[in-house]
Amino acid sequence: MTINPVYIVGAGPGDPELMTVKAMRVLKECDVVVYDRLVSDKILDLLGEKTEKIFAGKAARDHHMLQEEINALLVKLAKDGRKAVRLKGGDPFIFGRGSEEALHLADNNVAFEIVPGITASAGCGAYGGIPLTHRGMATGVRFVTGHCRDGVHLDLNWKSLADPDTTLVIYMGLINIAKIRDELIKAGLPADTPAGAIERGTTEDQRTILTTLKELPDCIEAADLKAPSLLIIGRVVGLAPDLGWYIPPMDCDVEAGQ
Ligand SMILES: C[S@@+](CC[C@H](N)C(=O)[O-])C[C@H]1O[C@@H](n2cnc3c(N)ncnc32)[C@H](O)[C@@H]1O
């Protein structure tokens, strides 16, 4: 029996038109898709009726299938001769565990291909009018996670992250937003550094708030932002009022959230 390679595919941040041509091709050719919670319904609607869809349901605190179960499932599907796609939100190699799954496939002698996707920071930056770098404002950008396993203290290198010359993008940062704000200010990042949060970026439900680092937690609370949301901190956020072209940002009524 032929063992087909497993395609580990990035679906992008939500807008189906942001998927790559290669992602579209492998989705059309496969017969089973194992997908995560972050893959939008509009993308799932593109799958053929005969394609089996298996929900692996990953969210920060709600793991529908354990990672080990997903790993084992991918190996089994391939060894059963299925044409399997592992479909993930954003890019599989950015906070996506695509590499863990690929390592497991390799350990079990199953070939794989990685199809990159537009990661949330690129999508949210573009649709939020926030360039992640801009001459004279940000010489670089850092992607960090604001989430850690339950019971584990969020321990980032705050001194190095508190750099006013680079943009800081925080994935999964809502739960620890007050700590993130406090640590960055303590490490020297000015409290009035522009900061924003984007919920469901690139979808028709996108919501954006624009504020300062100091006010970011209160503003997020006032707007009642939920996951998936991305935090962007840095001077470049100040360009959003001029560069925003998609859904306008919300007013941040901090008083209302208190
Ligand atoms: C487990 S990580 C997966 C990241 C994904 N692999 C990527 O490259 O974008 C999930 C986090 O990504 C961010 N995220 C993903 N899609 C998003 C979207 N459409 N809008 C805002 N944030 C998003 C949120 O911070 C969310 O909590």
Side-chain angles (χ1 to χ4, degrees):
M1 186 201 307
T2 314
I3 298 185
N4 299 298
V6 173
Y7 287 89
I8 301 179
V9 177
D15 180 350
E17 293 196 320
L18 293 180
M19 288 213 297
T20 63
V21 175
K22 183 161 185 180
M24 291 300 293
R25 176 178 66 76
V26 298
L27 283 173
K28 218 158 114 194
E29 291 172 356
C30 72
D31 58 42
V32 54
V33 173
V34 181
Y35 68 97
D36 281 351
R37 185 182 300 279
L38 277 177
V39 175
S40 71
D41 288 344
K42 284 201 168 166
I43 288 173
L44 294 175
D45 288 346
L46 299 174
L47 301 177
E49 267 176 29
K50 290 199 181 130
T51 309
E52 185 185 353
K53 303 171 193 73
I54 301 176
F55 178 51
K58 299 248 290 306
R61 283 164 189 274
D62 169 22
H63 287 240
H64 187 80
M65 279 172 81
L66 295 174
Q67 187 62 53
E68 296 73 38
E69 292 171 337
I70 298 170
N71 293 348
L73 174 64
L74 296 177
V75 170
K76 179 170 182 339
L77 290 170
K79 292 200 168 168
D80 285 350
R82 306 288 300 273
K83 291 182 178 167
V85 165
R86 173 70 172 114
L87 190 59
K88 294 171 161 288
D91 180 85
F93 273 8
I94 297 188
F95 302 125
R97 299 205 179 176
S99 43
E100 292 176 32
E101 293 169 10
L103 282 170
H104 187 81
L105 289 166
D107 284 348
N108 286 277
N109 300 315
V110 174
F112 60 84
E113 286 193 28
I114 309 294
V115 181
I118 291 186
T119 188
S121 44
C124 292
Y127 280 55
I130 303 171
L132 300 181
T133 66
H134 186 86
R135 199 148 50 102
M137 283 193 174
T139 54
V141 55
R142 262 140 351 141
F143 299 161
V144 298
T145 173
H147 171 77
C148 35
R149 278 167 293 148
D150 286 342
V152 179
H153 186 63
L154 180 65
D155 188 20
L156 299 174
N157 184 340
W158 301 108
K159 203 85 208 138
S160 101
L161 294 178
D163 174 5
D165 295 324
T166 61
T167 304
L168 181 59
V169 180
I170 303 168
Y171 288 70
M172 298 165 280
L174 285 187
I175 289 170
N176 289 312
I177 181 57
K179 179 181 169 66
I180 291 167
R181 185 263 320 265
D182 293 348
E183 293 284 1
L184 287 173
I185 292 176
K186 203 161 79 186
L189 196 62
D192 63 357
T193 302
I198 301 177
E199 178 191 82
R200 300 195 175 283
T202 81
T203 73
E204 58 202 19
D205 301 320
Q206 174 172 310
R207 298 199 300 154
T208 305
I209 55 164
L210 302 173
T211 179
T212 59
L213 175 58
K214 179 165 175 258
E215 301 279 1
L216 189 58
D218 287 343
C219 220
I220 285 173
E221 195 184 332
D224 195 25
L225 291 194
K226 302 269 190 268
S229 290
L230 193 80
L231 315 179
I232 307 183
I233 299 166
R235 290 189 192 116
V236 289
V237 178
L239 293 171
D242 294 324
L243 295 182
W245 58 272
Y246 190 49
I247 299 172
M250 304 165 63
D251 286 332
C252 180
D253 187 358
V254 168
E255 299 291 320
Q258 289 173 344

